[in-house]
Amino acid sequence: GRGVSTTLGILLALVTIPMLILALPTLLILIFRRSVTPAMAFLFITLPLVELYFKVPPVLIAYSIALPCLVGITTYLRTRPGALRRA
């Protein structure tokens, strides 16, 4: 929802190996918790660490941090009543 699928697709194309490594634990969290939020939190927090391990270029690491942050901010602004008026 709200840009997560697009973000996953972009990151899968840019940093394929780290995303594939984190796919199984992320799917297990999604299956057992039945909520996207903890699964995506796990994925987006651990992804830069796995990227560092695999020596992914710094620009891609920065992108993989910035993109989920942007999705989180836009989701917050769209789902919280009055958030746009306060910002």
Side-chain angles (χ1 to χ4, degrees), residues 26-50:
T26 302
L27 287 172
L28 290 174
I29 293 170
L30 184 61
I31 290 167
F32 289 116
R33 295 292 303 264
R34 295 182 184 222
S35 175
V36 173
T37 304
M40 292 304 103
F42 169 79
L43 175 67
F44 293 143
I45 290 169
T46 57
L47 182 59
L49 302 174
V50 175

Side-chain angles (χ1 to χ4, degrees), residues 1-13 19 44 63 67 71:
R2 304 229 187 258
V4 172
S5 298
T6 304
T7 302
L8 291 176
I10 291 169
L11 291 174
L12 185 60
M19 286 292 286
F44 293 143
Y63 192 72
L67 192 59
V71 170

